[in-house]
Amino acid sequence: MYFIANWKMFGGLSTLNSLKKVIKFLKIFKKSKKIKIIYCPPNTLIRSMSKKVINSKIQVGAQNCHESLTYGASTGSINPRMLKNVGAKYVILGHSENRDSGETDKLINAKIKAATQAGLKVIFCIGETLGQKRKKITKKILSKQIIVGLQKIKKRKNIVIAYEPVWSIGTGLIPKAADLFNTINYIKKKVRNIKVLYGGSVNPKNINKLKLIKNIDGFLIGGASQDPKKFIDIIKKTYN
């Protein structure tokens, strides 16, 4: 099971002290060998966090990257090799917040190619908006995002998919159990042998419902991951 913490635009150097609680918990948690813990902080914290979690169960990822593998005149951008150089092992790509800012499926595909070539593992986000859900075109949207996003990418062993319905992110709403099971099943049929996670308002209150959906391979956790107690609660309750 994957437990991925997307810190979004959150945290400073002092915030890294909160990891001590999570590291301590993982040392005594009996199921720790069966899970993957990945923290994706802002780029400003990747190096410091990587040093902080040495010899722990935690790995570090980034929240996005540029599609180029070379240096260039892209002010403010950071490419996959630069991320790997400061300690990132993973990168989140295709998150709805970045799609909403103009990232296309084609651009996300270029980023996935660059990231995998640089040796990063990819957390590939897909999901439908509320309008698309109401039109009952969720599967059509997910299919397009998958087909274009993974086009000409043959080596997919370093890719996991995070299904994040856009209407769920930050709203406290989660899909109905049957709907979520069917959607995850659909994604797994589209892309064989790839882990599929769920993301979207995952918190200690709803994890008891989400953990019952047996085809989910883990969770991409946003706001709740910023609080070590809530993050630990999500992990513990998944196995209770």
Side-chain angles (χ1 to χ4, degrees):
M1 290 287 282
Y2 285 76
F3 295 90
I4 302 174
N6 177 14
W7 269 13
K8 306 195 177 190
M9 193 169 67
F10 167 82
L13 291 174
S14 61
T15 316
L16 298 180
N17 292 326
S18 67
L19 292 173
K20 291 178 182 178
K21 291 181 182 179
V22 182
I23 292 170
K24 184 178 179 181
F25 161 72
L26 293 172
K27 285 181 179 178
I28 61 171
F29 185 55
K30 293 180 180 179
K31 303 281 187 179
S32 63
K33 291 182 179 179
K34 296 183 178 181
I35 62 179
K36 287 184 180 290
I37 308 291
I38 303 148
Y39 269 78
C40 297
N43 291 338
T44 52
L45 295 178
I46 290 174
R47 186 64 170 171
S48 298
M49 182 178 280
S50 297
K51 292 179 179 179
K52 199 89 172 176
V53 301
I54 288 175
N55 299 323
S56 79
K57 181 71 182 175
I58 297 170
Q59 292 184 298
V60 179
Q63 297 175 13
N64 202 352
C65 68
H66 195 272
E67 68 274 17
S68 173
L69 282 173
T70 60
Y71 294 141
S74 299
T75 302
S77 298
I78 297 175
N79 74 27
R81 284 181 176 152
M82 296 163 73
L83 292 172
K84 191 173 183 187
N85 187 56
V86 293
K89 306 292 187 202
Y90 288 79
V91 61
I92 298 172
L93 296 174
H95 194 281
S96 65
E97 290 161 357
N98 295 319
R99 289 178 185 269
D100 194 47
S101 297
E103 285 194 7
T104 63
D105 292 322
K106 190 174 180 181
L107 176 58
I108 293 162
N109 174 247
K111 292 187 175 192
I112 293 174
K113 286 178 182 175
T116 53
Q117 287 172 20
L120 292 178
K121 296 179 181 179
V122 172
I123 302 149
F124 173 36
C125 298
I126 60 173
E128 82 283 8
T129 64
L130 182 59
Q132 291 163 342
K133 175 181 167 61
R134 285 174 174 166
K135 290 178 182 177
K136 297 183 178 180
I137 57 172
T138 293
K139 289 181 179 178
K140 181 180 178 181
I141 296 300
L142 298 183
S143 178
K144 178 177 178 291
Q145 290 174 344
I146 291 168
I147 290 169
V148 180
L150 297 180
Q151 190 173 24
K152 294 184 179 180
I153 297 174
K154 295 179 181 178
K155 294 182 180 180
R156 300 180 178 182
K157 65 178 181 178
N158 288 330
I159 298 173
V160 297
I161 289 178
Y163 169 58
E164 287 199 301
V166 180
W167 51 271
S168 176
I169 299 170
T171 65
L173 302 172
I174 60 173
K176 293 178 181 177
D179 290 344
L180 185 50
F181 178 88
N182 290 333
T183 302
I184 298 290
N185 217 32
Y186 173 77
I187 296 168
K188 288 191 171 187
K189 287 179 179 178
K190 293 289 291 184
V191 281
R192 304 281 180 179
N193 301 318
I194 287 185
K195 299 285 188 182
V196 181
L197 322 181
Y198 170 75
S201 294
V202 179
N203 59 51
K205 292 181 180 179
N206 60 33
I207 193 63
N208 287 326
K209 291 181 180 179
L210 291 170
K211 74 177 183 182
L212 298 176
I213 303 165
K214 298 302 181 184
N215 59 354
I216 292 177
D217 297 310
F219 303 98
L220 177 56
I221 305 155
S225 72
Q226 297 168 3
D227 182 329
K229 185 179 182 301
K230 289 181 180 179
F231 192 60
I232 290 168
D233 279 349
I234 289 170
I235 298 171
K236 286 167 65 175
K237 288 181 178 180
T238 300
Y239 290 95
N240 286 345

